Amino acid sequence: MNLFQLFYRPKPGEHRIRYIVKGDADDFNVTFKCGNCSEVKQEPHIHKGWKHTFVGREGDYMYILAQSNKPNSDVNIMVYEDGKLLERITKTGDYPLIQASGTI
């Protein structure tokens, strides 16, 4: 259990969302939106095993896009809501690009 889980006490309608990006390369570009925040965040050249956790409310839009910066590689996105796996996407190829989106 991490500190976020230990101290996070959900209010009605709130959910803890976690994005994870993995793959066999060690260089990814990630673009994501966190629930009700209005700005889209971009992180270039991140390492595999990247994680981001936030609290969102029911009805908030969320998405994550990840691309490997290497040819002949794979990239994986996992999206969790309150510790439960919602979506897992994997793609292999030259500079593979994948996206997951939806509402909380």
Side-chain angles (χ1 to χ4, degrees):
M1 179 178 291
N2 65 32
L3 287 175
F4 185 84
Q5 292 169 320
L6 184 64
F7 293 105
Y8 171 66
R9 302 286 187 253
K11 295 176 185 165
E14 287 186 344
H15 298 277
R16 184 174 49 91
I17 306 299
R18 182 174 198 133
Y19 297 142
I20 299 175
V21 175
K22 295 183 178 182
D24 62 356
D26 197 25
D27 187 12
F28 299 94
N29 294 330
V30 176
T31 302
F32 61 99
K33 183 175 186 321
C34 301
N36 68 354
C37 70
S38 60
E39 88 181 38
V40 173
K41 299 178 181 184
Q42 295 181 328
E43 294 191 17
H45 304 290
I46 56 106
H47 298 286
K48 60 184 172 183
W50 177 89
K51 300 171 186 172
H52 183 76
T53 303
F54 65 95
V55 174
R57 297 193 52 79
E58 289 180 14
D60 288 347
Y61 180 71
M62 61 180 185
Y63 78 85
I64 180 168
L65 181 137
Q67 181 174 22
S68 172
N69 290 318
K70 304 284 183 183
N72 193 26
S73 61
D74 66 59
V75 62
N76 308 294
I77 289 177
M78 288 164 282
V79 179
Y80 291 84
E81 181 180 308
D82 298 325
K84 180 183 174 189
L85 181 64
L86 287 181
E87 192 161 13
R88 180 186 187 128
I89 303 169
T90 301
K91 188 171 183 181
T92 302
D94 289 338
Y95 310 98
L97 173 70
I98 56 177
Q99 175 181 332
S101 63
T103 56
I104 297 172

